[in-house]
Amino acid sequence: MNLWKNKKNQELYLVIGTLINATNSNDGEKMVLYSKNNKYFVREYNEFLLKFERIEESRDILEVTKDMLNKKVDEE
Protein backbone atom coordinates (compact mmCIF):
# COMPACT_ATOMS: atom_id res chain seq x y z
CA MET A 1 0.00 0.00 0.00
CA ASN A 2 1.20 3.47 -0.87
CA LEU A 3 0.14 7.04 -0.10
CA TRP A 4 -0.88 9.21 -3.01
CA LYS A 5 -1.87 12.89 -3.08
CA ASN A 6 -4.77 14.23 -5.10
CA LYS A 7 -3.32 17.01 -7.26
CA LYS A 8 -6.55 19.05 -7.13
CA ASN A 9 -7.44 19.01 -3.41
CA GLN A 10 -4.01 18.03 -1.99
CA GLU A 11 -5.57 15.34 0.23
CA LEU A 12 -3.82 12.03 0.92
CA TYR A 13 -5.28 8.66 -0.05
CA LEU A 14 -4.11 5.14 0.63
CA VAL A 15 -3.85 3.03 -2.52
CA ILE A 16 -4.81 -0.54 -1.72
CA GLY A 17 -4.09 -2.08 -5.11
CA THR A 18 -5.17 -2.54 -8.70
CA LEU A 19 -8.25 -4.34 -9.97
CA ILE A 20 -9.57 -5.58 -13.28
CA ASN A 21 -12.99 -4.25 -14.31
CA ALA A 22 -15.26 -7.20 -15.13
CA THR A 23 -18.35 -5.33 -16.33
CA ASN A 24 -19.43 -6.15 -19.86
CA SER A 25 -18.73 -2.75 -21.41
CA ASN A 26 -15.32 -2.30 -19.73
CA ASP A 27 -14.15 -5.89 -19.31
CA GLY A 28 -10.42 -6.11 -18.65
CA GLU A 29 -9.91 -2.40 -17.90
CA LYS A 30 -7.30 -1.78 -15.17
CA MET A 31 -8.61 0.12 -12.12
CA VAL A 32 -7.11 1.52 -8.90
CA LEU A 33 -8.73 0.86 -5.50
CA TYR A 34 -7.96 3.59 -2.95
CA SER A 35 -9.24 4.71 0.42
CA LYS A 36 -9.59 7.64 2.81
CA ASN A 37 -11.36 7.70 6.18
CA ASN A 38 -12.78 4.20 5.74
CA LYS A 39 -14.37 5.11 2.37
CA TYR A 40 -13.31 3.26 -0.77
CA PHE A 41 -12.97 4.60 -4.30
CA VAL A 42 -12.24 3.09 -7.71
CA ARG A 43 -10.83 5.00 -10.65
CA GLU A 44 -9.57 3.97 -14.08
CA TYR A 45 -5.80 3.41 -13.86
CA ASN A 46 -4.60 6.00 -16.42
CA GLU A 47 -6.99 8.65 -15.08
CA PHE A 48 -5.72 7.95 -11.56
CA LEU A 49 -2.12 8.53 -12.66
CA LEU A 50 -3.12 11.89 -14.17
CA LYS A 51 -4.96 13.13 -11.07
CA PHE A 52 -2.73 11.76 -8.28
CA GLU A 53 0.96 11.79 -7.42
CA ARG A 54 2.76 9.24 -5.30
CA ILE A 55 4.20 10.46 -2.02
CA GLU A 56 7.78 9.46 -1.34
CA GLU A 57 8.24 7.33 1.75
CA SER A 58 9.34 9.12 4.89
CA ARG A 59 8.94 8.69 8.62
CA ASP A 60 6.05 11.20 8.71
CA ILE A 61 4.16 9.49 5.91
CA LEU A 62 4.60 6.08 7.50
CA GLU A 63 3.04 7.49 10.67
CA VAL A 64 0.08 8.86 8.66
CA THR A 65 -0.40 5.43 7.07
CA LYS A 66 -0.29 3.78 10.48
CA ASP A 67 -2.87 6.23 11.82
CA MET A 68 -5.16 5.65 8.82
CA LEU A 69 -4.98 1.88 9.24
CA ASN A 70 -5.55 2.08 13.01
CA LYS A 71 -8.60 4.30 12.51
CA LYS A 72 -10.07 1.75 10.09
CA VAL A 73 -9.57 -1.11 12.60
CA ASP A 74 -11.03 0.92 15.48
CA GLU A 75 -14.18 1.80 13.49
CA GLU A 76 -14.93 -1.82 12.57
Side-chain angles (χ1 to χ4, degrees), residues 41-56:
F41 308 94
V42 177
R43 190 181 293 264
E44 189 271 324
Y45 183 80
N46 290 324
E47 181 183 358
F48 182 87
L49 294 179
L50 289 173
K51 296 186 177 212
F52 290 79
E53 61 186 358
R54 186 174 178 185
I55 303 299
E56 296 298 323

Side-chain angles (χ1 to χ4, degrees), residues 22-73:
T23 58
N24 289 336
S25 61
N26 296 315
D27 193 31
E29 182 179 38
K30 191 174 181 180
M31 310 291 286
V32 176
L33 174 64
Y34 59 106
S35 174
K36 180 180 175 94
N37 297 332
N38 210 27
K39 293 182 182 177
Y40 296 88
F41 308 94
V42 177
R43 190 181 293 264
E44 189 271 324
Y45 183 80
N46 290 324
E47 181 183 358
F48 182 87
L49 294 179
L50 289 173
K51 296 186 177 212
F52 290 79
E53 61 186 358
R54 186 174 178 185
I55 303 299
E56 296 298 323
E57 291 184 351
S58 72
R59 183 177 178 94
D60 294 336
I61 291 170
L62 293 175
E63 289 300 315
V64 170
T65 304
K66 181 180 173 186
D67 290 344
M68 290 173 72
L69 292 174
N70 286 338
K71 182 177 181 179
K72 180 180 173 186
V73 170

